[in-house]
Amino acid sequence: MSEFIPYGRQSISDDDIAAVVDVLKSDFLTQGPAVPQFEDAIRKRVKAKHAIAANSATSALHIACAALELGPGDLLWTSPVTFVASANCALYMGADVDFVDIDPVTYNMSPAALEAKLTDAAACGRLPKVIVPVHLSGEPCDMETIGGLAKKYGVRVIEDASHAIGGEYSGQPVGSCAHSDITVFSFHPVKIITSAEGGMAMTNDADLASRMQMLRSHGITRDPTKMTKASDGAWYYQQTSLGWNYRMTDIQAALGASQIDRLTNFLKRRHEIADRYDQMLASLPVTTPRRDPNAYSALHLYIIRVPKKAGVAAHQQVFDKMRAAGIGVNLHYIPVHLQPYYAELGFRPGMYPAAEAYYEEAISIPMYPDLSSQDQDRVVAVLKEALVE
């Protein structure tokens, strides 16, 4: 059998390995200089004022919600087509969750659905405190419209850009927080760049940055200006809030900082692969992903849709045939409101029809910088065979 082709994978260079080894030989495996160096590199790349590294994007979403003081009685809205963390972060804070249906073309949060839902929420006095738009597959959301609606209704915005580092919207890097309070990145191995596990929150608000820095480390400070009384000595620290141990290690940061040097090349290669897929799939009965000409997608995923039509195999058949042939396709994502845990919260099928229609057709085919032309040819050949009913 041919070698298995995953839907995504990390690309590790000798420089990456050397950077990690340097940390392993240093005095600091954690809480050393590598984390702030990585934060500074990302901050400069995305043109944000502050960067707060964490041990995962989920942790970064959690401290972002905490910094915005989301809590019991509050409401967070996000997209139903996302990983569960985009919604779970609200539940961690004791807040409630609701969803805004997706745009059927972009697969991101629909600005029209958001506006209609905000209008209704304002009328009944139940506006969300936080909105979390998700840049699915690295394709930027319409943040100008979403950010404008948030300002109109007094709502805070956290961009879940776990898929989107390196992307651009209206000439600005995703992560610049031009239309949001906080942006969160992921550095999981299948993402654009990796720190093995890890995430980062970006903000232009110094107060939010300070809160998140403390919250990722138990709510503890060693800064005398943030203490409730004078320091007892050089050893002294104070816990002034309830935080968590969400720190990134120097080992992770060293890998991430090394990877950032190759971000531009990673993105260029992803676009080359996507362009080639676009051409090769043009004659097949599938819908290829839209890329906004006014934006620059990070192309974390290449999502096709298999429509229900005569002569075309059913979605699940196509998926199963490709897996059986050694093509590691995946599905991003099962709509969150369909998960059993969320069913217990009162969510039901039919509530977000565009998200559910997407789920019945979507398949993520292999997309990563080291995907060879030969492997890409094999992916398309297997897909073509799998589509036959």
Side-chain angles (χ1 to χ4, degrees):
M1 183 175 176
S2 301
E3 184 179 351
F4 182 79
I5 303 174
Y7 83 86
R9 70 188 308 169
Q10 68 274 12
S11 177
I12 302 297
S13 70
D14 289 341
D15 287 343
D16 295 337
I17 294 169
V20 171
V21 170
D22 285 346
V23 169
L24 290 171
K25 292 178 177 180
S26 75
D27 292 332
F28 295 97
L29 299 186
T30 190
Q31 294 181 271
V35 170
Q37 287 168 3
F38 183 34
E39 290 172 332
D40 195 51
I42 298 291
R43 181 187 62 77
K44 289 177 179 176
R45 175 72 190 222
V46 305
K47 300 181 181 178
K49 292 182 179 178
H50 306 279
I52 301 90
N55 58 6
S56 71
T58 299
S59 299
L61 285 167
H62 190 184
I63 60 174
C65 287
L68 291 173
E69 299 180 327
L70 188 72
D74 293 330
L75 183 59
L76 178 147
W77 290 357
T78 190
S79 168
V81 178
T82 184
F83 187 57
V84 293
S86 308
N88 289 349
C89 59
L91 303 181
Y92 299 154
M93 300 305 302
D96 296 322
V97 174
D98 201 354
F99 301 94
V100 179
D101 210 353
I102 64 167
D103 181 288
V105 175
T106 68
Y107 314 149
N108 286 331
M109 181 182 286
S110 165
L114 175 62
E115 184 170 21
K117 195 170 181 108
L118 284 169
T119 300
D120 291 345
C124 67
R126 183 59 170 148
L127 283 165
K129 186 169 186 175
V130 176
I131 297 171
V132 181
V134 179
H135 303 299
L136 186 72
S137 78
E139 179 70 12
C141 296
D142 181 356
M143 288 308 305
E144 184 174 1
T145 301
I146 293 171
L149 287 168
K151 286 184 179 178
K152 177 180 177 180
Y153 288 96
V155 179
R156 311 301 289 272
V157 178
I158 301 171
E159 295 177 67
D160 186 339
S162 294
H163 296 182
I165 190 166
E168 295 181 4
Y169 172 81
S170 295
Q172 291 293 317
V174 173
S176 66
C177 299
H179 304 286
S180 64
D181 298 282
I182 299 168
T183 301
V184 169
F185 293 127
S186 171
F187 307 123
H188 183 276
V190 297
K191 298 304 196 303
I192 310 299
I193 63 170
T194 187
S195 59
E197 283 281 6
M200 196 173 292
M202 319 305 298
T203 186
N204 294 324
D205 186 310
D207 183 54
L208 289 177
S210 178
R211 290 186 213 172
M212 288 189 285
Q213 286 166 350
M214 290 178 61
L215 289 164
R216 73 174 172 186
S217 190
H218 304 282
I220 284 173
T221 183
R222 292 182 181 273
D223 183 348
T225 65
K226 297 175 183 175
M227 293 181 181
T228 59
K229 72 179 189 68
S231 172
D232 291 344
W235 65 87
Y236 194 65
Y237 60 86
Q238 283 189 349
Q239 180 187 344
T240 59
S241 60
L242 182 62
W244 304 272
N245 183 1
Y246 285 169
R247 294 187 300 266
M248 176 182 281
T249 68
D250 278 47
I251 299 169
Q252 293 168 303
L255 176 56
S258 178
Q259 290 255 309
I260 195 71
D261 291 337
R262 290 188 288 150
L263 176 57
T264 298
N265 288 336
F266 284 159
L267 295 169
K268 180 182 177 183
R269 178 63 185 142
R270 286 176 179 273
H271 277 262
E272 290 171 352
I273 293 168
D275 290 343
R276 194 161 184 264
Y277 270 143
D278 289 348
Q279 295 170 6
M280 297 173 77
L281 301 180
S283 62
L284 298 184
V286 298
T287 301
T288 53
R290 174 185 178 272
R291 280 181 273 167
D292 186 343
N294 297 313
Y296 184 72
S297 176
L299 281 169
H300 165 51
L301 302 171
Y302 191 94
I303 300 170
I304 62 170
R305 291 180 69 164
V306 179
K308 299 175 183 177
K309 60 171 64 175
V312 177
H315 172 255
Q316 184 172 340
Q317 288 178 302
V318 174
F319 189 99
D320 291 345
K321 286 179 180 179
M322 295 192 75
R323 280 278 182 97
I327 310 299
V329 292
N330 213 327
L331 203 164
H332 300 88
Y333 293 95
I334 303 168
V336 180
H337 71 284
L338 299 180
Q339 294 292 347
Y341 184 87
Y342 281 82
E344 292 293 322
L345 299 178
F347 293 98
R348 296 288 180 268
M351 296 179 75
Y352 308 98
E356 292 172 33
Y358 163 90
Y359 174 57
E360 292 176 355
E361 298 182 348
I363 298 177
S364 298
I365 64 176
M367 164 59 81
Y368 50 91
D370 293 336
L371 183 70
S372 69
S373 294
Q374 292 78 10
D375 282 347
Q376 192 176 12
D377 290 344
R378 185 176 145 218
V379 170
V380 174
V382 171
L383 173 61
K384 187 174 181 178
E385 291 180 6
L387 287 166
V388 179
E389 192 172 30

